Structure formats: structure tokens, C-alpha cells
Amino acid sequence: LGSLLFILSTQLAFSQEEPFAARITFGYNDAEPTRWTGRVTADNARVAAIEGWHFLADDRISLNTFDIQTGAELSKGITVRGTGSPGARISVETSQGTLSFLISDLRLGEEVALLEGAARVERLPDAVKLTDDFRDDDYPSIAVVDDSTAWVVWQSYSGQFDEVRISKYDGGWRTFTRLPGVSGDVWRPQVALDAQKRPWVVWSQQVDSNFDIYARALDEGSNTWLKVVRLSSHPYADIDHHLISDHEGGLWVVWQGFHGDNSDIFLRHYNGSEWSEEVRVTEHPANDWEPRVAVDDQGKAYIVWDTYRNGNYDVYMRAYENGNLAPEEPVAMTPKFEAHASVAVDGAGRVWVAWDESGPNWAKDTGATIDADWRGKSQDERRRHWPGVRIYESRNLNLVVLEGSGRKMPVQDVQLAVSKEGESHDFPQLLVDRRSNHIGLLFHRRGRTRRALRGGRGRAYWETAVTFYQGDTWQPVLAMPNSWGRSSMRPAAAYAPDGSLWVTWPTDGRLYINTHQPVVGNVYAAHLPLEEISQFPVLKPWEETEEIEVSPAHGNEVADLTAIRGYRTFVHGVEKEIVRGDFHRHTELSWDGGGQVDGSLLDFYRYMLDAAAMDFGAVTDHLAGGGYEYWWWITEKSCDMYHIPRVFTTFYGYERSARFPNGHRNVFHTTRGIPVVSFFTEAGFDGPLPGVSAGDLMENDTKLLYDSLHRTGGIAISHTSGSSGMGTDWRDNDPEVEPVVEIFQGLRVSYEHLGAPRAARGPDDRPPGGFQEAGFVWNAYRKGYRLGTITSSDHSSTHISYAMVYTEQPTREAIFEAIQKRHTYGATDNIILDYRMGEHFMGEEFTASKVPPLKVRIMGTSQVAKVEIVKNEKIIYSTTPDKRDVTLTFVDQDEAPGTSYYYVRVIQDDRQIAWSSPIWVTYQP
């Protein structure tokens, strides 16, 4: 392709002392552990820094020397950064041989083999860190003024509040200013230029308990910021905006707004003197997500978004011209997960749309015991029977080009071009330069390290990468250096007038030794020069994929939701409704998953609002991600962003993962800003928090947690109580702050009692998480503990665990109070279970001279095969109604003095189960 290749090649014509960066990797032929020692020298170049790549604890760099150990499938390397003149050469003398190369011979994104393939070298972009290691910086955006001037904005966190910071490049990067008057909760600031080349910053900010969209421009001539413009004003959250400027310097902003029971897409336009009125782009009752906008040379805007209107995520587009909205147009509408759309218009007026996709039945039924024959099987064997795919099972890229009424696509499939084994790719951002016809695609890709911190499988990381479509081929993928971070981090890029590309990206500095652990959030930027294109992009007619036949995991789910949400009953004269939630979910922030299957922090809200249609819930990452202040900050901030009154109620939560016999517990609060209660460890413990073992904990660790919750008004919920490493022997309980227990977990099994439905009969069943009989819930009841029941998910599992709460209204305070009263039950489907004894409701305790009748009302999602009443570890009544709507009354004739507990277990013909909270009766004749 020669001159057709963008100079991401870099046959760079160095002027005096141009910057360079090169990575040399060793150990590609090593079948056994091999020591590589050596030193770096340079001719016609000055080396500013040598950094390790994929280093572990025993690898070292000292000045210009290094000492590393590679091994089978474990290559490592060094990155050399500096400045050099034309003809600059780097030489590396190693214990395995000497290699050297000219910087000018290296091309970005292409590796050169040296030492007969034992080592490789590649050119890296010259990345500049814009931030200072003292704050957590995130979500950058970039706007390019001309060939030598650009602006970057980002959100910056420290000390319990965010700022918006802005930096300018004019021969060098410099921190220009903070956006004045902005502090507190900030979300994704973005920058674009108006017709006067003034940078406009648009951001979402929480003010008076509501997120709205704001805009402000900088007039450099007068060195003043213009007046703040509030672009949205609805009392519910307006977030996830996208800002661009058109070829005339007009500004366009689209965003996602929760203006009722669902989110819709909105738009405003700035014509150079004033902002238009708000335009409502969508009005469908389903949730619409994450819009993006592009404008052609005639001023016609194209808005894309993804929507759950068809029971799965699909991509739609709508054009806006001269104040009029065209009809909506489906772009990607299959049973697959199709989301995170991006749009751009090329020089020929063709509209390019990209998105990422996952499998059908996204986030529907997944979990260990879906397979009726799960006992004794491995996780992989059980997973073959799951009708759904996990939240981040995989992500692929897809792309279509809309030309008139026709659909086209690149000759080379983009996913095949960028794929490597074990990778996933998401959040594509189309980059189209109409002047040069450069077509680029910026995206996030997931890789895995080949070694974990403490053995086992490698851990996932995400990094920023870019590829370009030239002729009929996607060029080699170029990963941005120092871009490892969370999956929810987002880069940005913009073309300069000369056709070069400016890229900015966030990182949290995580290292190969532990790709989950963040160091500090920073923002980087790089300038990629591109060659002139003489061959325009070659397209072919769109090829429809084979039609996918998908059986819904729950055929009557809409009707079941309508029934349970419409159910009302009276408890002590007060009308109650059922709200459904999940109090045990993990995201990218948990150290034992890192988002490999659980998805990002933002995926949690998609799952809860759409796929599971929950009414309340909480993110419960381990110690809110490991005790990192910024991660707890963004977790709590996301709870505020997606707290939608009467639709979805969020709680501030995390998991404390104390080993057996103390046991794992999830912790929840209704108010923000309460610190995470870490582990109480013995004196002398200095290991990383994920490595805390039972012997490291103080004996009264759980009691100290209870003391903290009494002071802060929180609650704890024990989970996986009967697992070998995570469970408890029920040595601890405080009824005021630990009112309920997770009796069943979707990832694992039931912990009701030995041999119960979906519970282990013994260790030979190989229950996920191991086996510990002392932790079964019946043992807690035997000790006299008053524990209501819920069910939850944990990692991986989706859509089969529901914490059901009877509450007066769906607010944080009311739901929390209802849980404290144990007015709860657990279920694996949307089963309605109403259970009481006389005037007393499930979860309550009372004293009586005569045991009143038990009254049970059940509305199943399938035929109710069996109803059982359990008293003091015995089934005292059982019936097989074989119908969906069941009402029964039972009177216990055994009125022995003392305290007894009674609860109801419902089993349907499809194996779905519900467990009521017990009622405790003290009989005094």
C-alpha cells in the first residue's frame, strides 16, 4: 500500500530532536523461564526514560540497565522514551544477544522481529501525560483548533468532589484553568469549538439532588468565561450527553434524560448566538440510551442511540433538519445485544454507524442451578444449559454504512480484522475526516494477562486502541500506551485540519502484576500524523447475517411483571406493594472478576432497569472495589445518577468478604458519604486487602462491623453462608443491623438446609463455592436468630434471584424499613407470595395463647407444584395444588409451649422457588 498507509507508519522525517517511544519485548521463544539482563544505549538520541512492560515483582530497571525473567507464554519488555535526530539508533545489549534498530524504520502498530524472533520492537505514539498523579482524572474530551492547537477537558476528583479541568496545546500542553464554579458531582465533560473558535464545555452536574446538563464558553480574547447555560431542567437525571460542532461552528448536544418512567433522547442546537429549545427525539415507553450525533455539510443532523423497546438492545437513528424530525430508522435490530452506537458522515454524505454487540438473551437466565442436573458438574458443564448470556460474556464490533436507502459495509469485516483470541471489543467511536477521507475507529478492547497475582487464570484489562480503514482493508490495530484501566473508561479523538489525529484517553495506572488494582487516574494525549489518502474507502453491499432463532427465557415475563407490580395487600391496616430487587451484584470494580463477565459499573444499571426490570438494587463490589476512594466515589455517584423515583431505587452498598468462620456480608446505607468499613485485622498484617484470610482477622471483626452499622444506620446481609471459604458458623448476629439472610444465590446454590431444593446434599455434589454444613440457615434458626429471607445474584448470575420486599412506598427509607422489619421473601422468579398468621405478617414475631391459622396466597408464574409449611426444621404441611393461583389456610394443632418459627416454601413445576420469611410465635397457653 506504500504511500496509502497513514504515517502511523512512521517514516517520520525527524527535525531536530523529535520525540519517540519504542517498546522492545523479550521472550517470545522461551519455553522455560529465561533471564534477560542488559543495557540500553542510543546514538543521535537522548533517552529520557526506560519503563517496564508486563513487569512482575522480581523484574528491575536501574538507569539504563534491566533484569527481567520471561517464561512460557510470558513475554516482557521495556519501553524507551526520548528525543532523537534523523538516523537515531537504539541498541540493546542483552544476555541473549545484541539488537539494534533505527527509530525511523519503525511503524506504529507493526512489530519487527529481532534476535531470530526472540525479541520484537514496535514504535509507540508519543504520549504526553496531562495530569499530575495527585488527583483521579477521568473521562477526557478533545477539540482541535488548527494544526498546532487543541483543547482537552476532563473530570478531576479529589477530596470528596469533582472539578472540570481544561488544558490547551499550543506548542506544548499546559494546564489552563479549572472551569469556575463547578464542583461536587460532575459527569463526562466534553469540549467543542464554535464559529469563533471558542471552546465550549458541556457537562452534567448534580445540583440540588438532580443531574442536569450545563454549558459554558471561554473567550480567550477577554480571558473570561461566559455565563453558564443550563441546557436541561427536568427534576430527574439528564446524563450521558454528546457534544459536537458542525462545519459552520454550530454546536449540537444530545443526551439521555429520565423525564418520567423511562429515559428518552433529547437535543439542543447552538447557532452561534443562542441555544434552541429542547427537542425530544424519542418518546417510546422503553428506555433509550447513550445518544450520539453527527451533522453533514448541509446541516442535517443524525442522532443514533440504543433502545430496549424490542426486549433487547437495538440501535436506532433519526435525522433532524430545519427543525423537523424524520421518522425513526432501525439500524441494528436483531435478537443480539446491540448498543453503544456511534455515528459519523463522510465526504460523500454517507452515514457510518458502529456499535458493539453481544449474544441474544443478554443478561437473562444464567446461574449454577438452572440445569436441573447441576450436582457434581463443573461450571462449564452447567453453563451449557443456561438460556441467557452473562452481562459481559463477550463484545464484538459491527458497522454499517447508510447511503440513501441502501446499506453497505467495509470489504473487510471490522471484528475479524481486530480480533485476537480472548479479546472483546466495545464502545466504538467512528472518526471520519471529510477533507482527507481518513476513516478511523477508536475503541476499547479487553485483553487478559497470562499470569494472575496469586496464580490461576489471567485477569482482564481494558485499553484504548485505534484502527483505520484504507481502501478495502483495516490497518493494524494501534494500542495507546499507558491506557490500561476500567472497562467504563472512555477515550476521545478529533482530526486536525491537516488530517492528523489527536487522541486523548484516561488510565488508572494499573500494572501487569495486578491488572485489577488502580494506582491513580491520569489523562494522556497523543498526536498521530497521517499521510494523504489516494484510495478512498471501498465498500460492498450489506450482507445480512443468518436469522437468529431465540427462545425467550421467560415467555410470560411482561404479564408476570404486570401482575406482581399491580399486587396490593394490607398489613396492619396499611396498603403494601411488592418491590423486586437485587442486593448482590458485582461490576468491573471487584478484584475477583474485574468485569470479565459482570460488566461495567454502567452495565449494572442497564441490567437492573431493562433485562431484569428491577425496582431497587445496589452495586456490591468487594470493599467498593478494594478500598480505593475514587471507586467508592463513582459508585455512590452512579447511585445518585440512576436513582429514579418510583421507577428504580438505589442504595449505597458494598461487600465485606471476610473468610469463614466470620463470613461474607453485604452492607447497605440509605445516605451517601459513609465510609466503607474495611477489615479489622490483627496487628502486624501488611498484605493486600484481597489477600485477607481468616487468620488475619480479629476474632470480633463482625461485631466491630455491627458497632459501626449501629452508629451509621446501616444494615448487613450474610450471604453464601454454607460455602467453604465464604460462609459462617453463625457465631455472630445482631438482629437490629442484620435482619435478613441471602437464602439462595444465583451464582451458587440454596443454603436453606442440607438437601433442600437447589441445595447441596454434601460435598460430593461439588456445589460452586464449596460446602460448609455449619452455615446452613436452619442452623441460624436453631440458635434463635430472627432472619428474614431474600435471594440475590452475586457474580455472573442474572435474572434468577429476586429480593422481594413488601413496602408502603418504593423509597429508600421505606424499603429499608421494610427490610428491617423482615417483610421480605426470596424467589427465583416473579412469584407473588403473601403469608401471615392471624394479623401478623411474614418476618414478625408475637406471643399468643393459641396459634392462629396460617394464611397463604400464591400467584405463580407457572403451575404451583408444591406448597410446604416448615416449622422448626420440619415440613408439617404439604400440598400439590397444580395451579397458578393458590389460596390456603392451615392450623397447627401442635401447640407445644415455647417459641416456634413457621415459613412457607413454594415450588413450581418449572423448578422456580419462593421462600417466605418466617413468623416466630411464642406459645403461652
Side-chain angles (χ1 to χ4, degrees), residues 843-857:
E844 297 179 356
E845 57 182 314
F846 65 98
T847 300
S849 59
K850 185 176 181 62
V851 177
L854 290 81
K855 299 179 180 179
V856 182
R857 172 75 192 282

Side-chain angles (χ1 to χ4, degrees), residues 326-370:
E328 294 180 350
E329 178 181 353
V331 175
M333 192 174 65
T334 76
K336 293 180 180 180
F337 168 101
E338 292 149 326
H340 305 131
S342 174
V343 62
V345 183
D346 67 15
R350 298 174 297 197
V351 180
W352 295 60
V353 182
W355 62 92
D356 60 50
E357 58 188 32
S358 187
N361 272 342
W362 178 83
K364 293 300 184 181
D365 292 21
T366 66
T369 60
I370 288 175

Side-chain angles (χ1 to χ4, degrees), residues 669 674 677 680 703-714 737:
H669 288 87
I674 297 172
V677 180
F680 297 98
K703 294 181 177 65
L704 292 172
L705 169 65
Y706 294 157
D707 289 345
S708 174
L709 297 178
H710 276 289
R711 292 192 302 270
T712 59
V737 297

Side-chain angles (χ1 to χ4, degrees), residues 342-644:
S342 174
V343 62
V345 183
D346 67 15
R350 298 174 297 197
V351 180
W352 295 60
V353 182
W355 62 92
D356 60 50
E357 58 188 32
S358 187
N361 272 342
W362 178 83
K364 293 300 184 181
D365 292 21
T366 66
T369 60
I370 288 175
D371 177 11
D373 300 319
W374 64 271
R375 301 176 191 275
K377 291 183 178 179
S378 69
Q379 179 175 328
D380 287 339
E381 290 174 315
R382 293 191 302 269
R383 195 182 311 156
R384 297 190 189 105
H385 297 268
W386 297 355
V389 300
R390 294 172 295 180
I391 290 177
Y392 206 102
E393 189 85 34
S394 65
R395 294 285 169 88
N396 299 323
L397 305 180
N398 210 339
L399 185 152
V400 68
V401 183
L402 306 175
E403 186 172 21
S405 60
R407 297 165 67 91
K408 294 185 177 180
M409 61 189 298
V411 173
Q412 184 184 25
D413 180 88
V414 62
Q415 182 57 37
L416 294 177
V418 303
S419 287
K420 289 183 180 180
E421 185 178 357
E423 287 185 350
S424 280
H425 307 81
D426 60 20
F427 205 75
Q429 298 179 59
L430 283 160
L431 310 168
V432 174
D433 182 36
R434 295 178 203 160
R435 290 160 295 200
S436 65
N437 261 335
H438 280 289
I439 307 293
L441 191 67
L442 188 71
F443 59 94
H444 231 191
R445 72 174 178 185
R446 181 188 70 180
R448 286 193 176 95
T449 58
R450 292 170 177 164
R451 178 186 290 181
L453 178 62
R454 294 182 300 279
R457 66 180 181 179
R459 296 195 173 180
Y461 61 87
W462 280 260
E463 64 183 345
T464 295
V466 66
T467 182
F468 293 83
Y469 189 61
Q470 306 284 335
D472 60 0
T473 305
W474 290 98
Q475 300 302 305
V477 172
L478 175 64
M480 298 298 108
N482 302 315
S483 64
W484 285 13
R486 309 183 321 272
S487 65
S488 59
M489 285 181 154
R490 296 289 179 256
Y495 284 101
D498 64 359
S500 61
L501 186 70
W502 294 76
V503 185
T504 182
W505 64 91
T507 178
D508 56 24
R510 59 188 64 192
L511 303 173
Y512 189 81
I513 192 170
N514 185 355
T515 57
H516 165 267
Q517 182 176 357
V519 179
V520 64
N522 278 298
V523 169
Y524 281 78
H527 183 207
L528 309 180
L530 309 179
E531 274 192 353
E532 183 179 347
I533 298 298
S534 60
Q535 184 179 0
F536 295 154
V538 179
L539 303 176
K540 65 179 182 180
W542 175 259
E543 296 175 358
E544 295 288 350
T545 57
E546 293 185 9
E547 188 171 335
I548 303 171
E549 294 186 9
V550 179
S551 298
H554 290 261
N556 300 317
E557 187 165 18
V558 173
D560 295 340
L561 284 170
T562 300
I564 197 167
R565 284 178 168 160
Y567 186 78
R568 297 293 184 272
T569 192
F570 284 87
V571 178
H572 304 304
V574 178
E575 187 178 67
K576 305 284 186 176
E577 62 182 289
I578 302 172
V579 291
R580 307 150 44 262
D582 195 338
F583 258 176
H584 194 168
R585 295 220 57 84
H586 292 271
T587 75
E588 60 187 320
L589 305 185
S590 283
W591 59 61
D592 53 350
Q596 294 185 64
V597 294
D598 294 318
S600 71
L601 182 63
L602 305 179
D603 284 335
F604 165 81
Y605 295 101
R606 284 179 175 263
Y607 165 71
M608 295 293 280
L609 283 164
D610 289 334
M614 296 291 191
D615 304 312
F616 72 91
V619 174
T620 56
D621 287 306
H622 301 286
L623 289 185
Y628 306 117
E629 179 184 330
Y630 178 60
W631 283 10
W632 182 225
W633 173 258
I634 60 175
T635 298
E636 290 193 296
K637 180 164 63 175
S638 73
C639 285
D640 289 352
M641 287 169 55
Y642 292 96
H643 180 75
I644 311 160

